[in-house]
Amino acid sequence: MPPQLVQPLGEPIMGRTRLWDKLAALSSMHRTIEAFLASRPFERGPWLAVGFGLGIAGWAVLSGPWQWAGFLALCGAAAVGGLLIDVEGELGHLRGALIGMALMLAAGCAAVWAKSALVGEPGIARPEVVMIEGRVIDRQVEGARDRVRLLVRGRVEGHAEPLQVRLNLPDANDLPGLVEGAEVRLRARLMPPAPPMLPGSYNFARAAWFQGLAATGNVIGPVTILASAHEGWSLRQWQQRLADHVRAQLSGSPGTIAAAFASGDRGAIAETDEEAMRDAGLTHLLSISGLHVSAVIAGAYFLTIRLLALVPFIALRVRLPLLAAGVGALVGVFYTVLTGAEVPTVRSVSGSLLVLAALALGRDPLSLRLLATAAVFVMLLWPEAVLGPSFQMSFASVIAIVAFSTAAPAKAFLSHSHEGRIARVGRHIAMLLMTGLVIELALMPISLFHFHRAGVYGAAANVLAIPLTTVLTMPLIALALALDLLGIGAPAWWAVGKSLELLLWLAHLVAGQPGAVTMMPGMSGGTFALFVGGLLWLAMWSGRVRLWGFVPIALGTAALLLTRTPDVLISGDGHHVGITGEGPDLLVLRAVREESYTRTALLENAGMTGNALTLEDWKGADCNEDFCAVSLVRGGRRFELLLARGKDLVPIPALAAACAKADIVVADRRLPAACKPRLLKADRALLGQTGGLAIDLVSGRVRSVAETQGQHGWFRPPPPRLPPDQFRKRKSAAPDASGAPEPAIP
């Protein structure tokens, strides 16, 4: 035995000593975390709400029941572990954090899983033309599109169980008695709820699943009313009458927007105005949400407290803040019910009621704890809302306001009370601008993730638009409606119209500026998680430790800037193909309408603001009635694409020869086995399993819709093994760009 390894009895070997030191250091990590939590004050409640939301997100990301059950089991084990680690009573903060977060993660996952199982409605398997007999559940007038949208539940031809479907009815076929509660018979063309058209597109199938919709479609021909609706009070009819009254008093675009503010009816707003509001970052003004509810409740609160203060008998005997809070709560609930009680409105009124309770009790209304309470209430009732942009953007904006306004630098900036009035007003205006900028920065990752676009000048536009709407327009609308009871509301409506003309002028001005909209290709879920984690860290902590949140934000920004635009986009049915990288315009296989969803989805996922140019109008494509052959150079290599666009039968030998010369073949029908391209055959057989595809020719990465859907009920096909690995292996076999390319044979 070598002498250097001989040790006296009882003395440890040097290597073993170092090993035990490392294990001891690892075992003390929990004490380091405990010291960190104990030395930095933070709100426990908001983090529990975050844990509940993360549990919901975990259910959506994980594939199926086995993974969800494993997630719940892991959370349970973590909670039990938290009970065991604090044997000596010295790890209270760590123990509480571990148990609390584990339980809230499990609760979030269980809540959304349970609701999915209870209310989820599988969509129909394929398009159908059927007869429907059922009851009208809801009716919405969409004047800008010359149609009425009906929600009908009843017997559908060819289906044993009653189904709930959403139908579009042209105005020409509308009937006076076609209202909520009417029994109808009609013929309709139904479509299954559409999954995302491309990876990263809007997932209507998921929304329809939680709404209980089995299909959507269009009414064909006239509607027969089998039984009239029962006479009585109808919220939707009252809402429609209010909207019609507002539009009768105020014509044009201002009237449609005033109707949206008063009743929540957005169906008559012109698409050009809605697009301008969106590009200017003002779309949130059109939907009844926190801004409108807060304005109505705040107006009722301060008006009540001011009027009652003028009556000494009441002011000396009643606690006015408590009474005003009650009046504000009643007005807020009434306004929520009047405007349709949509999820964003209910979410907003819940938070506002908590603020009123804080004011009545003399507590600070701007608190993350109150916001967390409202968030948990909404997530318990509508856990699926966490996955949508409305929930994320509304809570992100309020969190940004609370976190920024309560930060030490912001308080110090406004603490100069010795200055004159002009200087104080200037500081408040500057604070308003900075708050708007903070909100825009907080919302930008959410907007890019869901819509692939973000407004650049939205902060400046909102600084003017929000005070204009809340301080001038909405009080004027309330005054005009009150004066209409006396028949003297015309002057107030004139003032409402002028204020809304100013709002629309601002929206069109901002939207028309160069670079007003930033477009980006689809953001991955991991990149989005980095942004969300960093922003939550910035908001939840205080002191210098909150600056650590900039680390994941910086990583997410770098990942976003390095994200390559897909070279080829293929819709789930293979009918539409988009090609990028050949100039400012997106090349499309088939012509698409200017305002169609297909065109918008293709441009958004490509991160482009140009036009959609058909391949047959592009000099680099060779097209005939059946196929288009396209040659693309990417990463120093040439790729040959063969895109089917006809319906006629093609001789198999000619098709096989053309496929053999192509790297990628795309078709909206099933191709025979004789068609063997070098890299990928995206025909109906493959796309039926994968959904839409986004292909990066340089890296060989093929992203599919199916890989993000798992085994959730709204997406039936199981995600198969895609050919990305085969794509990467065979990509090097593509002919070099410098060599003589083989002629494309359409």
Side-chain angles (χ1 to χ4, degrees), residues 149-234:
R149 177 164 284 182
L150 302 175
L151 186 65
V152 180
R153 182 170 185 83
R155 297 186 300 275
V156 177
E157 183 182 2
H159 296 268
E161 298 293 331
L163 300 180
Q164 184 166 283
V165 298
R166 195 181 70 189
L167 304 171
N168 296 324
L169 175 70
D171 281 343
N173 294 338
D174 194 13
L175 298 173
L178 194 56
V179 296
E180 294 87 349
E183 298 284 345
V184 297
R185 180 193 295 121
L186 53 87
R187 188 173 183 84
R189 185 179 190 274
L190 300 182
M191 297 288 292
M197 178 180 171
L198 296 163
S201 295
Y202 174 63
N203 194 347
F204 175 71
R206 184 177 65 196
W209 172 266
F210 283 102
Q211 294 171 12
L213 287 178
T216 61
N218 298 300
V219 177
I220 302 175
V223 178
T224 302
I225 299 179
L226 302 177
S228 300
H230 297 292
E231 294 292 334
W233 180 81
S234 171

Side-chain angles (χ1 to χ4, degrees), residues 357-642:
L359 290 173
L361 297 174
R363 301 290 183 90
D364 182 12
L366 287 179
S367 168
L368 288 177
R369 186 174 297 178
L370 286 178
L371 187 62
T373 304
V376 171
F377 172 76
V378 172
M379 289 188 290
L380 280 171
L381 296 179
W382 300 281
E384 72 280 3
V386 175
L387 309 175
S390 177
F391 178 94
Q392 296 170 10
M393 297 183 82
S394 59
F395 274 101
S397 59
V398 180
I399 290 174
I401 292 173
V402 174
F404 183 67
S405 61
T406 57
K411 291 181 177 179
F413 182 77
L414 295 176
S415 63
H416 297 270
S417 58
H418 60 280
E419 295 179 336
R421 178 175 297 179
I422 296 178
R424 292 200 303 272
V425 171
R427 286 183 177 273
H428 281 85
I429 293 176
M431 186 66 178
L432 187 62
L433 286 170
M434 288 188 290
T435 303
L437 180 60
V438 168
I439 293 174
E440 286 298 317
L441 292 175
L443 297 184
M444 188 171 290
I446 302 174
S447 182
L448 289 174
F449 179 73
H450 290 284
F451 310 117
H452 311 284
R453 59 192 299 147
V456 177
Y457 308 126
N462 277 284
V463 168
L464 299 175
I466 290 177
L468 173 66
T469 302
T470 56
V471 178
L472 185 61
T473 303
M474 293 193 65
L476 282 174
I477 292 175
L479 177 63
L481 290 173
L483 294 178
D484 278 345
L485 298 176
L486 305 176
I488 55 175
W493 284 119
W494 177 85
V496 171
K498 294 302 178 183
S499 69
L500 290 174
E501 287 177 3
L502 181 58
L503 176 65
L504 287 170
W505 172 83
L506 176 65
H508 285 277
L509 176 67
V510 173
Q513 298 304 308
V517 177
T518 299
M519 299 291 293
M520 296 287 290
M523 183 192 302
S524 68
T527 302
F528 183 58
L530 287 173
F531 279 112
V532 173
L535 291 172
L536 286 174
W537 188 276
L538 281 172
M540 298 297 186
W541 292 99
S542 60
R544 292 184 177 180
V545 69
R546 75 191 318 172
L547 300 179
W548 294 359
F550 285 112
V551 175
I553 292 176
L555 294 175
T557 303
L560 183 61
L561 295 176
L562 294 175
T563 300
R564 275 183 43 82
T565 301
D567 296 295
V568 183
L569 298 168
I570 306 172
S571 64
D573 58 2
H575 195 69
H576 296 283
V577 178
I579 297 176
T580 66
E582 298 295 332
D585 296 328
L586 177 70
L587 303 178
V588 294
L589 177 62
R590 290 178 171 87
V592 290
R593 291 186 294 108
E594 185 69 20
E595 300 298 332
S596 66
Y597 170 74
T598 299
R599 179 182 183 276
T600 302
L602 287 170
L603 286 172
E604 286 182 349
N605 282 270
M608 301 175 67
T609 56
N611 298 317
L613 179 67
T614 57
L615 284 173
E616 62 183 355
D617 296 328
W618 181 54
K619 61 181 181 180
D622 184 9
C623 296
N624 61 20
E625 295 181 356
D626 296 314
F627 290 92
C628 277
V630 181
S631 182
L632 302 178
V633 177
R634 298 290 186 272
R637 295 193 175 275
R638 187 179 299 276
F639 295 87
E640 303 293 341
L641 277 64
L642 185 64

Side-chain angles (χ1 to χ4, degrees), residues 247-277:
R247 287 192 288 266
Q249 303 301 316
L250 194 61
S251 61
S253 294
T256 61
I257 296 179
F261 287 169
S263 66
D265 181 6
R266 297 176 52 179
I269 298 177
E271 292 185 7
T272 54
D273 293 332
E274 196 155 6
E275 183 177 354
M277 295 286 285

Side-chain angles (χ1 to χ4, degrees), residues 31-68:
R31 300 187 183 278
T32 303
I33 299 175
E34 173 69 21
F36 174 83
L37 295 176
S39 62
R40 292 171 174 83
F42 67 97
E43 293 278 359
R44 274 72 169 175
W47 279 112
L48 294 179
V50 170
F52 196 95
L54 289 177
I56 296 173
W59 175 86
V61 171
L62 295 175
S63 296
W66 285 106
Q67 289 83 354
W68 306 333

Side-chain angles (χ1 to χ4, degrees), residues 140 235-236 238-239 242 259-266 287-289 292-293 296 332-346 474:
Q140 296 181 8
L235 174 62
R236 180 64 73 181
W238 191 13
Q239 183 185 15
L242 177 60
F261 287 169
S263 66
D265 181 6
R266 297 176 52 179
S287 59
I288 304 301
S289 57
H292 308 79
V293 173
V296 170
V333 172
F334 174 78
Y335 183 62
T336 300
V337 174
L338 177 64
T339 55
E342 301 291 341
V343 175
T345 318
V346 175
M474 293 193 65

